[in-house]
Amino acid sequence: MMIIRDIEMAREALADALWWFKGFAAARPPSIDEGSGEHVALENQIREVRNFLGSINRASIRRLGEETAIVLTFAEFERLVDAVRVPRPAEMQAAIDTVEAVLAEYRIEEASARNLDVPF
C-alpha cells in the first residue's frame, strides 16, 4: 500500500488508477451503450478528484472540508511567518493583506457551500 504524502503523489495514484480502469474497460466485451458504462462514471469521478487536488495545489480553493482547513500557498504562509519573525510595518501590512484576501475567498466559498433550502 502506497502512502500518499503530497498532491503530486495523489495525482500519480489517480493517473495509475485511470490507466488501469481504461485497460479494464477495453478488455470488456462491448456493451449496448458504451458511453454510459460504470467505467465512464468512475473515470469522471476520478477526474473530478484530480481537478480538486489541482485546485488545492494552486490555492484556487480556500475552504477544505467542514471548517477543517484553509488552503494557503507557501508564499502566503511565508508572508505570515515574516510578520511574526520581523514585525515591521511592511511585513505586518503584507500579512494583513494576505489574511484579508484569504478570509474573503473563504467566506465566499462558505456561503456557496451552505444549503439555503434547509430552514435551520
Side-chain angles (χ1 to χ4, degrees), residues 4 15-16 19 21 23 28 30 33 41 43 45 47 54 58 65-66 87-88 90 95 98-99 103 107 111 113 116-117:
I4 297 176
D16 290 345
W19 186 261
F21 283 121
R28 289 178 45 183
D33 186 6
E43 183 177 355
Q45 289 176 344
R47 186 176 299 109
R58 294 183 306 274
E66 293 299 316
R88 290 184 289 203
T98 299
V99 168
L103 185 58
R107 287 185 175 152
L116 300 177
D117 295 334

Side-chain angles (χ1 to χ4, degrees), residues 36-57:
S36 66
E38 300 88 20
H39 66 281
V40 174
L42 185 57
E43 183 177 355
N44 290 338
Q45 289 176 344
I46 292 173
R47 186 176 299 109
E48 288 178 29
V49 171
R50 288 186 75 191
N51 292 338
F52 175 74
L53 291 173
S55 64
I56 293 172
N57 203 34

Side-chain angles (χ1 to χ4, degrees), residues 17-33:
L18 275 174
W19 186 261
W20 186 87
F21 283 121
K22 283 182 179 182
F24 178 74
R28 289 178 45 183
S31 64
I32 295 172
D33 186 6

Side-chain angles (χ1 to χ4, degrees), residues 83-97:
V84 171
R85 287 186 179 160
V86 187
R88 290 184 289 203
E91 282 76 13
M92 294 298 290
Q93 189 58 52
I96 290 167
D97 294 343

